[in-house]
Amino acid sequence: MISTSLWETVKGHSRTGSGAKAFIEATKRDALLHLENELGRLVSTAPESAQERVRTELNGFTDLFKRFLEESGPSVDWERIEKLPHDAVRDYASLNTPTADVLHQMLNKLVVVKLNGGLGTSMGCYGPKSVITVRNDLTFLDLTVQQIEHLNKTYKVSVPLVLMNSFNTNEDTEQVIRKYRNLNVEIHTFNQSCHPRINKDSLMPIAKNSDINKNMEAWYPPGHGDFYQSFYNSGLLTKFVQEGRDYCFISNIDNLGATVDINILNLLLNSEKEHQFVMEVTDKTRADVKGGTLIQYENRLRLLEIAQVPKEHVEEFKSVKTFKFFNTNNLWVKLPAIERVLREDALQLEIIVNGKSLSNGLNVIQLETAVGAAMKCFKGALGVNVPRARFLPVKKTSDLLLVMSNLYSLKNGSLVMSPQRMFPTTPLVKLGDNHFSKVKEFLQRFANIPDLLELDHLTVSGDVTFGRGVSLKGTVIIIANHGDRIDIPSGAILENKIVSGNMRILDH
């Protein structure tokens, strides 16, 4: 067992005397030795043909674990955060649009990467999140492939699509992508690492052997920061560099706004200054207070995540005035520079400690990293303040309501906001967890998706259903009390209304 004082020191909250420090250092060495022995045992349980791969992945985990033990405090000294330089973030409106004659040449230097490791469990779906239907019977993956195919056909290029899968999504994704064989899209996949969850008290792996399928709960994909090393290990990074491709555009597969942007690509390929890493940021609103932000630290531009913020500064971190931008996780990274950073062993990403409780009540921790945290490791890093339309993630059914509605039209796999929408911002939607959080339940509650063109804010709580042709405008709040049910009739127009359990309609 690891002593409580060691756990606190690892977490950075303990201040100890010199005698205690010596004890803790010895305990840390002991923990590392035990872990390495246990990981060696796990490797030995793998079939001989798989042992080299398992050993490589567990070596990566050992490196993470060593750093986890060594980190004795927050990775950022709050007092040393500097003001962002005036040229740290470029306004998207200031970027030049390339002429049509150079687009063919430019696009052939690009690789599109989608982070496809997540499951749809938070929305009540089984299998990869990318196969959830989001619009016109098309999935996230369908829309992505449509976008790339349209790009390739329009400009007579061959932009490859790369999917980073996890052990959770790989098998299903490989089956799904067969249906795209006859399309004008070259699709590659690779798997990110698979790391063992560790017992929070003993800091030892809970896995008994390396057969992931026998105990899925004992393993986890270690966050999208694992992209760089796994991309290299797959051989794809070397392949694309040898082909003369220069940049990859990385984004989450559930961000429907993350399409290839030729203005940003033009900035990367035709700028006087080399930018090896560009992060798309957008203006922070009160809905984004937990999102990562850009800071200047030790003369470098870097990503600051809420997990790195000392407790006493969390409210300041959430301030829209102090930190104006947040990370969309749309990233553009120079491919040869990734090779250089890995070769120089310069990729030291901040560790995110993610605590979980398993179905048997056991408390475990996952050591993860974020793909955007690599920003500080690259030369000429830059933020680009993009329109909000480039950040359209679907994390909950409330997001699904928006992308399925008449707020957007679908064009070549891309969602375009309706010109009839008077405001550039999307409505704020809150749907009650008990009745709306799962996709299947959510769909059963709408005869069809309401007209949201003039909606500012919608809150729905309780047992509520919507008839056909409902129109919601301004601020609409619908609350069915426990035991009550509210059926919004077909054709209803609710504008600035509060609908409560007894169907009284009040002006808001």
Side-chain angles (χ1 to χ4, degrees):
M1 290 281 284
I2 298 298
S3 67
T4 305
S5 59
L6 173 59
W7 171 250
E8 287 177 345
T9 302
V10 166
K11 291 293 287 169
H13 298 308
S14 182
R15 298 288 178 267
T16 54
S18 56
K21 280 180 183 172
F23 167 74
I24 287 166
E25 287 309 313
T27 320
K28 283 184 183 181
R29 284 194 298 273
D30 195 42
L32 186 58
L33 188 64
H34 278 302
L35 179 92
E36 287 174 334
N37 289 339
E38 192 61 19
L39 294 182
R41 190 190 63 74
L42 285 176
V43 170
S44 69
T45 66
E48 206 165 312
S49 60
Q51 283 192 6
E52 193 52 43
R53 176 187 57 78
V54 174
R55 185 177 290 108
T56 300
E57 292 194 3
L58 293 183
N59 284 345
F61 176 75
T62 304
D63 291 341
L64 264 186
F65 188 81
K66 279 180 189 170
R67 286 176 44 221
F68 164 69
L69 290 180
E70 286 161 7
E71 288 178 6
S72 58
S75 57
V76 170
D77 179 348
W78 197 259
E79 306 308 320
R80 290 169 57 204
I81 295 176
E82 305 155 38
K83 189 178 178 187
L84 281 179
H86 69 93
D87 59 351
V89 179
R90 284 279 298 270
D91 194 314
Y92 181 81
S94 72
L95 303 185
N96 297 320
T97 302
T99 52
D101 56 321
V102 296
L103 274 174
H104 174 86
Q105 185 185 350
M106 284 170 52
L107 285 165
N108 273 332
K109 291 189 175 295
L110 182 67
V111 175
V112 173
V113 178
K114 292 289 180 181
L115 304 174
N116 184 47
L119 293 168
T121 44
S122 64
M123 293 168 71
C125 298
Y126 299 98
K129 188 174 184 183
S130 56
V131 300
I132 293 175
T133 302
V134 284
R135 178 97 189 200
N136 297 12
D137 291 327
L138 298 171
T139 66
F140 290 107
L141 199 48
D142 292 336
L143 295 175
T144 299
V145 171
Q146 268 194 16
Q147 289 166 20
I148 306 298
E149 188 191 34
H150 174 68
L151 203 64
N152 288 341
K153 279 184 175 175
T154 305
Y155 299 105
K156 297 180 174 55
V157 291
S158 180
V159 175
L161 171 63
V162 179
L163 302 172
M164 181 171 87
N165 300 333
S166 68
F167 66 87
N168 286 318
T169 63
N170 186 57
E171 198 174 316
D172 289 339
T173 300
E174 291 294 343
Q175 289 178 350
V176 168
I177 60 176
R178 291 175 191 161
K179 70 179 181 179
Y180 308 126
R181 274 183 192 157
N182 298 323
L183 300 179
N184 184 16
V185 183
E186 178 190 317
I187 301 177
H188 301 270
T189 63
F190 71 96
N191 258 14
Q192 70 175 116
S193 300
C194 176
H195 285 178
R197 283 174 166 158
I198 55 179
N199 184 309
K200 186 177 176 181
D201 294 323
S202 67
L203 295 190
M204 288 295 110
I206 62 168
K208 298 293 179 255
N209 59 60
S210 62
D211 188 339
I212 297 161
N213 293 321
K214 279 190 178 169
N215 188 5
M216 297 280 275
E217 273 202 325
W219 302 87
Y220 73 100
H224 39 55
D226 183 58
F227 160 75
Y228 305 98
Q229 190 65 56
S230 291
F231 189 40
Y232 174 78
N233 292 348
S234 72
L236 287 171
L237 175 58
T238 306
K239 165 187 156 63
F240 292 134
V241 170
Q242 287 173 349
E243 286 177 5
R245 297 192 186 270
D246 256 352
Y247 278 90
C248 61
F249 170 49
I250 308 165
S251 61
N252 298 337
I253 197 148
D254 65 4
N255 180 4
L256 295 175
T259 56
V260 171
D261 188 281
I262 56 172
N263 294 6
I264 297 177
L265 184 60
N266 184 52
L267 167 74
L268 297 171
L269 294 174
N270 300 311
S271 180
E272 287 181 17
K273 183 180 178 184
E274 183 187 48
H275 298 294
Q276 294 184 351
F277 193 107
V278 164
M279 176 182 288
E280 293 185 36
V281 296
T282 193
D283 293 340
K284 190 155 80 167
T285 69
R286 298 195 189 286
D288 316 307
V289 292
K290 292 183 179 178
T293 193
L294 281 183
I295 58 169
Q296 182 81 354
Y297 193 81
E298 295 176 339
N299 295 319
R300 284 177 178 267
L301 200 56
R302 66 189 272 182
L303 174 67
L304 177 67
E305 299 273 14
I306 195 166
Q308 299 162 245
V309 178
K311 279 198 176 100
E312 63 271 24
H313 294 289
V314 166
E315 288 310 308
E316 193 179 342
F317 172 83
K318 290 179 178 180
S319 163
V320 177
K321 289 178 183 172
T322 310
F323 298 101
K324 296 175 182 173
F325 308 114
F326 82 97
N327 169 29
T328 64
N329 221 36
N330 300 347
L331 308 169
W332 303 74
V333 191
K334 195 171 178 74
L335 295 170
I338 297 176
E339 280 191 320
R340 174 190 62 79
V341 167
L342 291 173
R343 192 171 58 245
E344 294 173 358
D345 197 23
L347 195 70
Q348 296 292 311
L349 306 183
E350 287 79 18
I351 295 173
I352 299 163
V353 181
N354 192 353
K356 300 267 182 187
S357 286
L358 301 188
S359 54
N360 62 2
L362 185 67
N363 289 326
V364 296
I365 55 174
Q366 302 179 176
L367 305 181
E368 302 176 8
T369 56
V371 65
M375 184 178 220
K376 64 180 181 182
C377 309
F378 290 85
K379 295 170 184 172
L382 182 73
V384 174
N385 187 11
V386 297
R388 185 77 184 198
R390 290 192 58 74
F391 184 67
L392 194 59
V394 180
K395 304 290 184 191
K396 298 179 175 179
T397 52
S398 51
D399 303 318
L400 200 55
L401 178 69
L402 295 174
V403 300
M404 292 176 80
S405 76
N406 61 345
L407 280 171
Y408 297 96
S409 57
L410 193 59
K411 190 177 180 186
N412 303 314
S414 299
L415 288 182
V416 182
M417 189 175 276
S418 168
Q420 292 172 278
R421 171 81 174 164
M422 299 296 287
F423 330 100
T425 55
T426 50
L428 185 62
V429 174
K430 295 178 182 177
L431 301 178
D433 284 346
N434 290 343
H435 296 84
F436 287 86
S437 63
K438 307 288 186 264
V439 172
K440 189 178 177 184
E441 289 176 333
F442 160 84
L443 292 172
Q444 287 172 346
R445 294 190 169 273
F446 294 93
N448 66 356
I449 302 298
D451 170 359
L452 305 183
L453 278 175
E454 295 178 46
L455 180 70
D456 296 325
H457 178 119
L458 173 67
T459 294
V460 182
S461 177
D463 187 359
V464 179
T465 62
F466 293 81
R468 289 195 165 274
V470 172
S471 182
L472 306 173
K473 303 179 181 187
T475 295
V476 178
I477 299 169
I478 306 169
I479 298 174
N481 298 323
H482 185 68
D484 289 338
R485 173 172 167 157
I486 294 177
D487 297 310
I488 304 298
S490 294
I493 299 173
L494 300 180
E495 181 170 5
N496 294 328
K497 296 290 186 221
I498 297 174
V499 183
S500 62
N502 58 8
M503 281 298 290
R504 285 183 303 138
I505 297 184
L506 311 167
D507 279 320
H508 172 72

